[in-house]
Each structure stands twice: as structure tokens, then as C-alpha cells.
Amino acid sequence: MKNTLSQLTRSHLFWPCVTLVLLCLANVYFNPGFFDIEVKDGHLYGSVIDILNRAAPLMLIAMGMTLVIATRGIDISVGATVAIAGAVVAALIGGSLVIKDGVQTYVSNVPMPLAIVAALAVALLCGLWNGLLVAGAGMQPIVATLILMVAGRGVAQLITEGQIVTVYYEPFFFIGNGFIFGIPVSLYIVAVVLAVLLLLTKRTALGLFIESVGINPVASRFSGISARALVFWVYAFCAVTAGIAALIITSNVKSADANNAGLLLELDAILAVALGGTSLAGGRFYLIGTLIGALIIQTLTYAIYSLGVPPEINMVVKAIVVFGVCLIQSPALRDLLMKHAFRTGGTA
Amino acid sequence: MRTSRRSVISAIAAGLVAGTLAMPISASALTLGFAQVGAESEWRTANTGSIKEAAKAAGISLKFSDAQQKQENQIKAIRSFIAQKVDVIAFAPVVTTGWDTVLAEAKRAKIPVILTDRSIETKDPSLYVTMIGSDFTEEGRKAAKWMLENVKGQGDVNIVELQGTVGSAPAIERKKGFEEVIKSEPRFKITRSQTGDFTRAKGKEVMEAFLKTDKNIQVLYAHNDDMAIGAIQAIEAAGMKPGKDITIISIDAVKGAFEAMMAGKLNVSVECNPLLGPQLMNIVKDVKAGKQLPKRINTEEGVFPMETAAKEFPNRKY
């Protein structure tokens, strides 16, 4: 019995799950209807659905970030990539409100599939740039991606001409607001990306390659893994996840805001990866853990909104909880507490 | 052929001469350094456009800087204006505090400073000449007064508030003005208040959370139209009718708000006029001419309920 319990607590998913459950309980305490899910206008409606839906962009980016971090890297340019891809898709679709004889009609600038492909291509380009700097030029990942992080919002501003671009083209709203069988479209996107990643990393040797590059790039290279190419494509993939997230974000608010879209998302993504149990030192990675990490962050944000925390101290509350979560997840501290608990237990 | 070419050449030469003659005139023209907040909304865009156009029309040479919502960028811009020795500095402060040092530098360089559309908190009011802009407290009062007149009935009215960016003048003053008016009416209560950062995305996210935790909301008061537009999307997703099930009051009266009002989803928008370019250029000239100016100059603003939206829409410039 004790054996299975200790096995359970040693599982990498245990502590993230405990944290998420605790946060949900806190939500229920302040909002008894937290777990209520009803069907409204043919789709699911409730707090949990909101959290999943809002966390979707973060989950996507955090999955890409997990792979980057597993190779001992980091990508702090994802927020800027979101701004750029969002600006591209909004500027291309755009659409304007035309009032003709009192009838309002909306038209798009270029066909929507083309605009989406273009936005993803631009995101991929951002990733290739990062990959080139890290894998090709051998720059330190944080410095290499810092370049795009700083320059990216400027690029996005150029595309939007410093404006907030409002999208008036209805079909585009489906990505961020639509439902299939009552479940938000964004969750299907997350599920597809997750399935592809799990398939690639668990069913092929790719996962093993990524971990080995993260643990020891030199040894990996000597054992025949083309570490450079691997790292290069991991950054490209991470940027594409940011591009997909940008589509959801832009579609959800029906506009692209070069200044604020994806702002500080890179930090949330890194936090999600860390909360999920993946070490920032590279090596072993846990995609499901990352998803739980992303949900922890969004659940916390949600709790702050429904708690009635004064807006001035939002960030402080968030910081305290994150601090606590990180402490719980620290094995060193846990061991220390365990020892202490056993000692006092023994003397009593 | 030859004559036409000659005439072209002579025209160019005349142009060059005229250009060089005009040079000294434009060099003696006033230079205005303007540090804008950044592109945050349609309102801000109209504000920027008005200032750029008015400067051109008034023959004032404009140095324009975009701070991307960051105070440090604005401070940098003001310092560079001082270094470039512009005649007058104008800026729309991102936040209310933390300006004393840089404004003291401007004062030492004897460059007058004009604040536009947002005020600052300072112990030394001599740091700026005047402030032109909207009276945010009055906007908050107008919003509350409209509500008192139009939300009928006897029962309690629960209001949720979407605040602007924490610490910004419009957020603080619009809240203050609104609360001031409803204080005397006990049946009106603000039950929830959270920041939506003046953006659609946050307005939507916060309103979603409000709707789940609180089934009893009669009025939404948003500090700007963008947050209201985001919140409208959240209310629709909750299966309610914005504008009917929940009365929505917002401030700014940008085009997006008029579209929402024409669709019957927004009840009223209190105008916050961004077209202060021409007025600002007159003040710049007055300041340079050494005229005495009041410490505070207000722009003219109206209130636009839903019913007037369709009629007013074609006249809107922003």
C-alpha cells in the first residue's frame, strides 16, 4: 500500500495534478458553480470550458516550448511570433464594413485559407530564423531568440501600421469562437497537435533523440544523431505552434493588436513547462505535464477574476501562488519536509 | 519638344529657388515634440491622426514618437526632444506618476510642456504649462447619470465594472466620477470590479469569469469601448442578449461602439473626443507667444445613446 503510494507520488504527473486539483477546489470554494457545465445554444458552457478554451493558445505554445527546453534550449520569442502571425492573418483577411443602402456586408481581402497558410508560413520563417541562429551560428538560445523577441513586435507594428486591425470576416471567427459537437474548436486543435507530438516522440525514436541531445549534445552527435538539424527543426516547430496560437487568439477577439497580442506569453509558456515537471536543464520532457502546467496558470488567472481580488494586486497574488507551487514541486524541499515530519512523528 | 523640356527645367529651377527661399521660413517655424502613448485603440489612432494633420495645417514641424504603452519609452522620447531642443513638448502620459525627474529636465532646458488627454500627479505644478484633454471624472459622472435616468425599476441594480489599465488616469478618474454619482442612490451597487487593460481580449476574458460566478448582473460599466466590445462577445456566448439582459455603458464613442449600438448590443457610449489636434496647435502657438493659459483646458464631449447611433454614425471620424 505504502509502496504504491510512494510510486504515485514519485510519478512526474503527481505534483502538477495535486496543484491543479487544489486550485480547482479553491475555485469551488469561492464559486460553488465552478464545475457546472450546461448546454447553451448547442454548445457546452461553464467555467471549466472557459479555462480550457482560454488556455488553448498557451497549451499549444508550451508544447512547442517543451521540445525546445528538452534540447537544453529556450525560446523567448514566441510572444513576438504570435504578434507577427496575428498581424499577418488579420491584415490579409481584414475585411471591412461596407454599408450599402443601409445593408451591412463584410468582405475579406484575400481568401481565408490563403491568409492562414501565409500566417503559419511567416511563423515558420520566424522559427527558421531562430533555428539558424541557435543550430547554425551556435548562439546561446536565450540570446538568439531575444533578437526576435525585441524586433518582432516592431515587425508586427509595421504590418498593422501601428493600428489595431479589426477583422470583420465572419468565417474566420470559427477558429477561436466556434464549436464542434459542443466543444470549442481550439481544443480540437490542441488535441491534434498533442496527438501528432505523442505519436512522433513515443512511437518513433524522435523523442529519444531530443532527450539525448538535451542531455549530451556531443555524445549524441558521436552516436550518429544529427543534433544540429534536430535543434533547428525543434525551433521551427515551436514557432509554428506560436503561429497556430496566434490564429486562435486573433480569431477569438476578432482583431490583431501588435502591442498586446501574446504579451509575456513566453514567460507563461516557460512556467507551464516548468510546472509540468520538465527540467529547464534539458533532457527528459513531459508533454502531458506541460498541458497540466498551462491549465494551472489559466485556472489561477480565473480564480483571481472570480475571487474579486483588487486589480492592483493581481500580480502579487499570482506570484505568491506560483512561488508556493514551485516550492511544493521542489524535490529537495519535499525530502527535507518528509524527514522533518518523520522525525517528529517518531518522537511522538 | 525642346520648348517643353526647357519649360520643365525652368519649372524645376523655379521650384528649387522657391524651395530655398522657403527654407528659412520653415526653419523659424515652431517644432513640437509629441510623445504618444502608442496604438492601443481606434481612439488613439484618431488622436494621432488629428495631431499629425493639425500640425501640418498649422505649419508646425512635428517630431512624433510612439511609446508602445511603456513609460520608459516615453521618458526616453522626452529626453531626446530636450536634446534636439524642440520649442514645445507635448505628451499623453501612459501613467500618472513618475514624471518629475524628466519634466524637471525639460524645465531646466526652458522647454514648455503640455499634457494631452491624461493628467499626471506631481507636487510641482510648474513642471507643465497646461493640460488639454478630456475630463475623465466628468465622463464617469455622465455615464452614471445616464444610468440613473435610464435604468428604471425599484429593485437593486448590480453593476460590474471593467476598469482600464491599473494606475492610468482614465481608469482612476472614470471610476471616481461614476462612484461619486451613484453614492447617493443606494439601489445601485458595484458588485465586481476588475481590470481589463483597455483591451478586447482582457475585457472578454474577465467578463466570461464574471458571468460564471455571478448570475445577477444588471449593468456593465466599461471604462472604454474596446473592453465593452470584448465583453459583449462574452455575454453573447453566455446565451444572453447584450444591451437587453445586461445594460452596457461604455466610454469613448469610437466607430466600433457605434456599430455595436446600431446592432442594439451597446446601450450608450459617453464621448471622449480624441480630435484635439487643432486645439493643441493653437495652445502651442499661445505658449510660445507667452500668453497666460489656464492649467486645464477641456475638450467638448457628448453622450450618445443607442437610439442616436445610426443618425450619428456617418459623422464619426474615429
Side-chain angles (χ1 to χ4, degrees):
Chain A
M1 176 62 205
K2 200 182 165 192
N3 211 3
T4 48
L5 189 74
S6 76
Q7 241 171 7
L8 192 69
T9 56
R10 224 176 288 153
S11 154
H12 66 271
L13 281 181
F14 179 74
W15 292 105
C17 285
V18 166
T19 312
L20 188 57
V21 168
L22 284 179
L23 272 173
C24 286
L25 289 180
N27 262 311
V28 172
Y29 179 75
F30 289 105
N31 170 19
F34 180 71
F35 281 115
D36 292 359
I37 293 179
E38 38 190 319
V39 177
K40 235 171 212 172
D41 299 335
H43 62 78
L44 299 178
Y45 173 86
S47 303
V48 180
I49 302 294
D50 271 359
I51 290 175
L52 287 167
N53 203 356
R54 287 291 150 266
L58 180 60
M59 289 198 269
L60 284 168
I61 294 177
M63 282 195 277
M65 187 71 83
T66 307
L67 299 188
V68 170
I69 285 176
T71 65
R72 232 190 243 187
I74 201 154
D75 184 349
I76 54 172
S77 71
V78 284
T81 307
V82 166
I84 296 175
V88 168
V89 77
L92 286 182
I93 293 179
S96 45
L97 174 67
V98 186
I99 302 184
K100 231 180 210 174
D101 308 325
V103 184
Q104 302 179 4
T105 45
Y106 301 107
V107 282
S108 81
N109 297 343
V110 301
M112 190 172 86
L114 195 69
I116 290 175
V117 170
L120 293 180
V122 169
L124 177 66
L125 209 64
C126 294
L128 295 179
W129 162 260
N130 284 334
L132 205 67
L133 291 183
V134 176
M139 284 171 81
Q140 285 187 357
I142 197 164
V143 179
T145 52
L146 181 72
I147 297 171
L148 190 60
M149 181 197 179
V150 174
R153 291 202 181 269
V155 173
Q157 293 270 11
L158 282 179
I159 298 167
T160 61
E161 293 168 343
Q163 314 290 327
I164 293 176
V165 180
T166 305
V167 181
Y168 290 106
Y169 185 64
E170 292 267 0
F172 179 62
F173 304 157
F174 186 67
I175 302 172
N177 297 297
F179 293 87
I180 302 174
F181 303 124
I183 296 170
V185 175
S186 57
L187 291 182
Y188 288 95
I189 299 175
V190 173
V192 168
V193 173
L194 176 69
V196 168
L197 273 183
L198 284 180
L199 212 66
L200 282 178
T201 56
K202 302 280 181 200
R203 294 282 160 164
T204 73
L206 187 69
L208 193 66
F209 287 177
I210 290 175
E211 289 186 353
S212 71
V213 167
I215 293 163
N216 192 334
V218 180
S220 314
R221 191 155 47 85
F222 282 132
S223 61
I225 300 172
S226 56
R228 278 190 167 187
L230 194 81
V231 169
F232 178 78
W233 287 109
V234 161
Y235 279 90
F237 176 77
C238 183
V240 171
T241 60
I244 301 172
L247 295 180
I248 297 177
I249 294 171
T250 310
S251 161
N252 185 257
V253 289
K254 306 174 183 178
S255 58
D257 182 343
N259 276 328
N260 295 311
L263 194 64
L264 298 182
L265 206 53
E266 55 277 347
L267 297 184
D268 275 349
I270 294 167
L271 182 62
V273 174
L275 290 178
T278 303
S279 159
L280 292 188
R284 293 298 297 273
F285 64 92
Y286 309 102
L287 286 168
I288 304 288
T290 296
L291 292 190
I292 293 174
L295 288 176
I296 291 174
I297 295 173
Q298 194 59 36
T299 311
L300 174 57
T301 310
Y302 201 88
I304 288 175
Y305 292 152
S306 43
L307 228 71
V309 174
E312 291 81 4
I313 61 166
N314 278 359
M315 291 300 169
V316 180
V317 174
K318 217 170 172 175
I320 291 171
V321 176
V322 169
F323 176 66
V325 171
C326 291
L327 278 186
I328 295 177
Q329 297 211 22
S330 147
L333 183 87
R334 274 210 309 269
D335 285 349
L336 203 72
L337 287 178
M338 284 291 194
K339 259 184 219 155
H340 189 70
F342 275 120
R343 199 181 301 150
T344 49
T347 50
Chain B
M1 187 62 199
R2 185 174 290 171
T3 49
S4 74
R5 183 184 290 167
R6 190 177 292 158
S7 66
V8 168
I9 291 169
S10 61
I12 292 171
L16 282 175
V17 172
T20 44
L21 283 178
M23 280 282 275
I25 301 168
S26 65
S28 74
L30 288 171
T31 314
L32 169 69
F34 187 81
Q36 180 62 285
V37 171
E40 52 184 8
S41 57
E42 290 167 340
W43 190 97
R44 192 57 63 186
T45 305
N47 180 244
T48 301
S50 164
I51 288 165
K52 283 183 175 166
E53 271 170 37
K56 202 184 264 175
I60 291 175
S61 129
L62 179 72
K63 292 190 192 300
F64 186 86
S65 145
D66 185 317
Q68 299 186 6
Q69 276 97 345
K70 291 195 182 65
Q71 184 176 30
E72 67 257 36
N73 289 349
Q74 236 172 6
I75 291 176
K76 268 184 228 159
I78 293 169
R79 291 221 164 100
S80 91
F81 291 149
I82 297 171
Q84 294 172 51
K85 299 195 172 66
V86 298
D87 293 299
V88 179
I89 292 173
F91 76 110
V94 178
V95 292
T96 53
T97 55
W99 300 104
D100 290 16
T101 317
V102 69
L103 293 189
E105 287 168 28
K107 195 181 172 189
R108 272 199 298 280
K110 297 202 170 56
I111 301 174
V113 173
I114 301 167
L115 307 180
T116 64
D117 77 68
R118 294 182 179 186
S119 60
I120 59 169
E121 270 173 34
T122 176
K123 287 196 186 90
D124 180 6
S126 75
L127 288 177
Y128 65 94
V129 182
T130 180
M131 189 219 137
I132 164 178
S134 315
D135 185 342
F136 298 129
T137 318
E138 184 57 33
E139 287 164 9
R141 282 188 209 115
K142 279 181 190 162
K145 275 176 199 151
W146 184 90
M147 181 180 70
L148 296 188
E149 283 163 19
N150 289 278
V151 178
K152 300 274 191 307
Q154 294 302 317
D156 279 356
V157 177
N158 292 331
I159 305 159
V160 294
E161 181 182 34
L162 289 174
Q163 295 185 31
T165 310
V166 173
S168 68
I172 295 168
E173 289 166 20
R174 282 173 186 171
K175 185 174 175 58
K176 200 175 93 189
F178 191 85
E179 282 172 348
E180 198 181 294
V181 173
I182 64 167
K183 208 165 32 179
S184 53
E185 302 281 334
R187 77 185 184 101
F188 291 91
K189 271 197 302 285
I190 296 180
T191 49
R192 282 169 191 280
S193 183
Q194 180 57 260
T195 177
D197 277 338
F198 284 131
T199 63
R200 288 184 194 188
K202 278 281 171 193
K204 184 173 182 177
E205 196 178 326
V206 174
M207 193 64 199
E208 272 175 352
F210 281 175
L211 288 165
K212 303 295 182 318
T213 34
D214 200 339
K215 305 281 176 224
N216 192 13
I217 300 171
Q218 280 78 43
V219 174
L220 163 68
Y221 170 46
H223 286 187
N224 82 342
D225 289 334
D226 282 299
M227 289 192 293
I229 291 166
I232 285 170
Q233 296 174 7
I235 294 170
E236 283 177 329
M240 284 192 266
K241 286 204 174 59
K244 294 194 179 67
D245 297 332
I246 295 179
T247 303
I248 304 174
I249 301 167
S250 79
I251 296 180
D252 277 359
V254 298
K255 256 197 184 127
F258 276 86
E259 285 171 21
M261 282 195 278
M262 285 191 290
K265 294 172 182 174
L266 178 69
N267 297 77
V268 65
S269 191
V270 176
E271 186 183 32
C272 179
N273 190 355
L275 306 177
L276 44 77
Q279 226 175 333
L280 174 65
M281 297 311 148
N282 287 339
I283 294 171
V284 167
K285 284 177 184 163
D286 287 351
V287 166
K288 259 340 239 189
K291 277 189 200 161
Q292 273 297 321
L293 289 167
K295 209 68 195 173
R296 158 111 226 173
I297 301 165
N298 287 335
T299 43
E300 276 182 22
E301 296 171 335
V303 177
F304 298 102
M306 196 195 266
E307 299 76 33
T308 64
K311 209 175 121 221
E312 187 63 26
F313 184 69
N315 307 331
R316 303 305 288 178
K317 289 209 179 75
Y318 54 93

